[in-house]
Amino acid sequence: MTGTDGGADFDALRRAMAENSEEPEGPARNARAEQLLAEAEKLNVPLAVIEALGHQLKVYNYSSEKDKMFVPFARLLRMWDERPEDFDEYEAHSLHWVFKWMTAGMLDQPHVPLASIEKWLGEMEHRYRLAGHSERAVRSAEFSVAAHIGDLERAERAYAAWLAADRDSMADCHACELHGQGWWQAERGRDERALELWAPVLEGEYTCAHEPHTVLASSLASLLRLGRVDEARAHHLRGFRLVRPMESMRGAYADHVEFCALTGNEARGLELLAERPAYFTDTGQPRTRLEFLTVVTLLMERLTGLGLGGQRVPGPAGRTWTAHELAAHARAEALELAGRFDRRNGTGRVSELARARMAQEPLAERLPLGVRSARSTVASAAVPVREVPAQDEPVEADLPTLLAEARRLSDTLQPHAVEAWAAVARAAEGAELDVRDLAEIVDHRAMELGPDGVELFERAAELYAEADDPGESLAARTRAAYVRALTGHLHEALAAVAEPYDRVLALYAEDGTGLRQTASVLMGRARVLMRQVHEADEPVDPVIANTAEGAARELLALVDGRTADDVRLASRAAEAQAMLAELAALAGDVEAAAGLFARAAAAFVEAGLPWFAVEYEARLAGLAHHLGDTAQAERALRAALEHGGPHLEAPGRAQLHLQLAEVLGGRGLSEEAAEHALEAAHWADEAGEGRTLGAWARHQLGGFLLRQGRWAEAAEVLESALPDLSPETHGDGALVQTQWWLGDCLRELGEHREAAERRLQAADIARHWPEQHDHATLAHLAAESLGQAELHEEADRAYTRAGDLWRELGNVHGLVRSLRARAWLALRAEDGAAGVDAARELMAAAVQECAQALDAAPDEEAYARLTAELGHTHRQFGDLLARSAAEDDEDDSIRAALEGALSRMTEAITVSATLGEAGRHARTGAELAAGWLEADLGRPAQAAARARAVLAAYEGVPAQDGAAGERRAEAEQLLQVTEED
């Protein structure tokens, strides 16, 4: 960097500092700033040293090494006091500006005495007064000191004086000021007021390098306390994305870890800790280290309270940690550090706040976030439904009471009847039992065992027979047969069910058993026959299907009109209807199947057994969707979720929410669809299906958030889904769509290089597809992002690739647009005549492609679209030629460029005019552009004539027409300019 040309070296130093400013925060950037200061000192230019010191100050301030700021600032201040004339206006302003950083920086360091901070505050006030600055920044700094040490009266006075003082060039930006003001309101328990103050920052009205990052983080606790959990979730997803790459934002990062600990998202909290191991030990800013350690303690003690104290967790490097160990370590470190601040301050305020933060209780028991959750490492705080005891289940009771309660639950088919019988079995151990009672206990134990219950069902049958209940004995044998069918022994099951069927009918005819027992046997037989239908080769043998249908109808005929208040009989009838529905679906009669499933579900609900309706409502939803009846599908899914209530297990709940999300999304109801996709993702994680069903739910959720313009949230969710999406499980299409959506989000967030990467990855998958339209579109979109990222060569290659694909597809519009984009790239990327020539050639090629396609247009619609494209291409050609004229060109060269541009605009007007009414806006836009060119060429009369032509074109057009209003206003402006000329 050194050399004979001092000015050139100084310029190179400035460029190097600007480049370093764009590097990620951290020690590497700081080290580079130190090198640049050494280079500056070799130039023997005082201003170079001043600028290098200022650069060093800035990078230290925005890093974990804030404690290094004081030395360069002291040197700068000494240089100012000795030779203020060495500072230019910008550096003089910067010197006074960083006084604020020094005050905050000293406050963050417990080894700096409070008296020194107060002295520094006075020095700042004195120097600001001498420089003619408002006291606003001084009072803001005083407020920070008073609030930190717990002098609330002084803090309130300084806060009021801060707001009352005039804003000037030394005041913090609006965004930072509002953050500080809102923080104080939240600190004083006024959360609503805090959020009101933060609103302009959250809504993007005011932003800066660290806002809305810190406001989003600070708002989390206030939103949770107010019960506004949906907003809190959104702020976490949006805010953490901003904070993640910024090393200096440990305090805001801590707010996000705290949010996880307070919302049942402990697993995500651990993931956040794992991302930033240095935050445990970085000592450059002790105050944010204290904040971080307090929330680490909060999270670890939360895990310990959930019984997970022995779980391995991320912690300081050098050893492994369990949650219990890290909780103790972090608490001790936090309190020791807080004590150092308090000894410096002479108060107990910092320790008091640290203890309060560590002692917080959850503010939301369960707040699904939509992003991946390491379900296997942190058990949910919510107890799964199947483990919740029935509300009226006896805790301690004698055997007769337990028996009565179990019979009541099973007779009415209530959930948890099996658990009630298990309680009976435990109470009956060692007791003398009536044989009938023993039969029921064994029978229900068999039900609990499921596939392993055959032998116990057979034993129950023997006991029922011994108790002189032949009908129930036959029913138990039928249940054993059905278990055999379920476990793959279908032929044995068919044989085993034949005799009980014949015998029970004979018994019933002789009044030897009751309707309930007979219906139970007929239902068992029908279930076995339905199993035969499902296991048969497709297409199903009509004889097998007819036999199963006959069994279901026989059962319906038996109980028809006789269910009364008997819940068991009502459920038999409803299940028989569902069997008929299943058979109709297998036969391809979808409409009949849907109707029968609806009748079965309604029968279960009418019988007071809504949880049994869920399966059939879900089937009905699928059939309705197949029939295109989305309204019926939606009704059925909503009913299933309602009827399932607390009895739905996680996998089923996830499926229902996801199906409903897809139906609502198809209707354009993205907001509600997102809510259900969010629930689906959560319950899939709870079910241990996060990598399969959960990934698909996150994919859908990201798409619904994107449709609402919630770019940051969508990006976070889609990035979370990608690692689990696979071609084998979810298909190539899901991978491509997720990358595509993610690219769209990143584009909107201004992350153009990253958007290009996602779009290129999607294009690489799509290039193997038989249909290449998606490949071409993605290549084109990737080129756009590369261009926006200033990667001109890469963008040109991507546009060329897209153009080749558009040509192969016969898509002239895509080809022409890729050529136009390459023309603009050439003009921007290449200096001088070479760039202009390349741009002109590419734009001329676009005109030629469009004109040739127009000659071969297959129909009127295609002809009109191509005409509009040609007119637009001429218009862009004219704009490009006008912009190719550089200010330092010769007058003749500039005039030639403008004349060429005017010629193209005239072509655009002519072409657009052929479209009549449809081309009016395009024609008048080109007319106005031509008018301005006429004015630039010194032809006011021609310019005025073009303006009047535009006004005439919109004569009689309503004022409410937005485009017409804009054209009229611009035409009037052009007329005014020409009249002045």
Side-chain angles (χ1 to χ4, degrees), residues 91-247:
E91 292 303 326
H93 177 275
S94 297
L95 176 70
H96 286 81
W97 181 268
V98 295
F99 263 90
K100 299 180 294 185
W101 294 357
M102 293 305 107
T103 306
M106 290 178 179
L107 205 59
D108 291 344
Q109 306 291 332
H111 69 275
V112 178
L114 185 61
S116 298
I117 296 171
E118 295 286 5
K119 182 181 176 182
W120 185 256
L121 198 56
E123 178 75 8
M124 178 181 174
E125 183 172 9
H126 172 68
R127 287 181 179 266
Y128 272 40
R129 189 181 302 115
L130 284 178
H133 296 308
S134 163
E135 66 171 13
R136 189 178 182 94
V138 179
R139 299 285 77 83
S140 173
E142 181 189 6
F143 159 75
S144 298
V145 173
H148 172 66
I149 65 177
D151 188 342
L152 301 185
E153 289 185 10
R154 183 187 178 193
E156 291 286 11
R157 287 197 307 272
Y159 181 88
W162 166 24
L163 269 60
D166 293 335
R167 279 189 58 83
D168 68 351
S169 61
M170 281 298 115
D172 283 343
C173 75
H174 282 290
C176 288
E177 283 207 331
L178 288 171
H179 174 249
Q181 292 162 21
W183 171 84
W184 182 240
Q185 298 300 325
E187 193 77 3
R188 303 296 286 150
R190 299 185 283 264
D191 290 316
E192 289 280 8
R193 178 59 182 148
L195 290 164
E196 289 173 10
L197 285 164
W198 288 330
V201 183
L202 295 170
E203 292 164 7
E205 184 178 347
Y206 300 121
T207 60
C208 70
H210 278 189
E211 294 298 353
H213 315 42
T214 56
V215 163
L216 285 163
S218 296
S219 70
L220 295 171
S222 290
L223 289 167
L224 289 175
R225 284 192 291 265
L226 293 170
R228 292 159 61 173
V229 293
D230 290 340
E231 292 171 75
R233 176 197 300 114
H235 286 201
H236 170 64
L237 294 178
R238 179 182 161 203
F240 184 69
R241 185 175 188 81
L242 294 172
V243 167
R244 178 187 275 134
M246 303 184 76
E247 185 210 37

Side-chain angles (χ1 to χ4, degrees), residues 262-284:
L262 297 178
T263 57
N265 287 289
E266 297 85 5
R268 180 165 171 83
L270 293 178
E271 291 168 5
L272 268 56
L273 295 186
E275 285 189 34
R276 284 290 188 183
Y279 276 175
F280 287 97
T281 52
D282 281 346
T283 59

Side-chain angles (χ1 to χ4, degrees), residues 923-933 946-947 950 967 970-971 974:
R923 175 172 63 83
T924 54
E927 191 84 68
L928 285 167
W932 290 112
L933 288 167
R946 292 188 183 277
V950 171
R967 294 285 194 272
E970 188 177 351
L974 179 55

Side-chain angles (χ1 to χ4, degrees), residues 401-729:
T401 304
L402 289 172
L403 263 171
E405 178 62 10
R407 284 171 177 149
R408 183 186 72 81
L409 291 173
S410 57
D411 283 349
T412 55
L413 298 177
Q414 296 299 307
H416 314 297
V418 170
E419 291 94 322
W421 280 103
V424 169
R426 288 192 297 272
E429 288 180 9
E432 287 289 331
L433 291 172
D434 178 90
V435 68
R436 170 69 194 210
D437 296 343
L438 181 59
E440 288 184 81
I441 291 172
V442 172
D443 198 4
H444 286 90
R445 175 59 178 157
M447 295 178 196
E448 186 180 1
L449 290 174
D452 299 322
V454 172
E455 290 183 7
L456 281 180
F457 276 129
E458 297 286 7
R459 174 60 181 150
E462 293 172 2
L463 290 168
Y464 280 126
E466 190 178 333
D468 200 24
D469 191 342
E472 202 62 61
S473 175
L474 294 170
R477 287 177 59 191
T478 306
R479 287 191 279 276
Y482 182 51
V483 171
R484 287 191 175 93
L486 289 177
T487 53
H489 303 286
L490 182 60
H491 293 298
E492 291 178 33
L494 289 166
V497 82
E499 184 193 353
Y501 169 69
D502 292 335
R503 285 188 58 194
V504 82
L505 289 177
L507 274 173
Y508 183 65
E510 299 166 0
D511 293 327
T513 191
L515 178 60
R516 179 184 283 192
Q517 288 78 10
T518 307
S520 181
V521 173
L522 266 59
M523 174 55 74
R525 175 172 177 267
R527 285 173 176 168
V528 171
L529 291 170
M530 286 298 296
R531 196 72 196 163
Q532 184 182 28
V533 169
H534 284 294
E535 291 191 10
D537 294 331
E538 291 188 5
V540 179
D541 185 334
V543 174
I544 294 174
N546 289 339
T547 304
E549 181 180 349
R553 293 193 182 281
E554 183 181 23
L555 174 58
L556 280 170
L558 176 71
V559 301
D560 185 38
R562 304 172 68 184
T563 57
D565 295 327
D566 192 321
V567 171
R568 278 187 174 274
L569 291 178
S571 75
R572 301 299 187 206
E575 188 175 346
Q577 293 279 8
M579 288 176 176
L580 295 176
E582 189 73 35
L583 290 166
L586 288 170
D589 191 346
V590 178
E591 288 190 20
L596 287 165
F597 275 128
R599 286 171 61 184
F604 276 121
V605 173
E606 187 177 344
L609 303 169
W611 47 89
F612 285 117
V614 173
E615 177 184 351
Y616 308 118
E617 286 163 338
R619 291 296 308 276
L620 170 59
L623 294 173
H625 198 272
H626 178 77
L627 292 167
D629 189 349
T630 55
Q632 171 72 299
E634 181 183 339
R635 285 194 299 273
L637 290 166
R638 288 189 190 279
L641 283 167
E642 178 189 349
H643 293 147
H647 312 297
L648 272 174
E649 299 231 354
R653 192 182 296 273
Q655 288 280 6
L656 290 172
H657 277 296
L658 185 55
Q659 286 177 264
L660 184 53
E662 291 172 345
V663 169
L664 293 168
R667 290 183 52 207
L669 302 174
S670 300
E671 192 167 337
E672 190 181 357
E675 293 173 8
H676 287 284
L678 177 69
E679 288 291 327
H682 169 78
W683 288 110
D685 289 341
E686 288 291 300
E689 297 181 17
R691 294 184 178 278
T692 51
L693 183 62
W696 181 254
R698 279 182 266 281
H699 159 81
Q700 295 281 24
L701 173 59
F704 296 137
L705 291 170
L706 178 142
R707 290 187 206 174
Q708 297 172 60
R710 295 160 66 177
W711 315 114
E713 295 168 65
E716 195 73 10
V717 169
L718 292 167
E719 286 175 343
S720 175
L722 268 176
D724 294 330
L725 290 171
S726 69
E728 298 76 20
T729 303

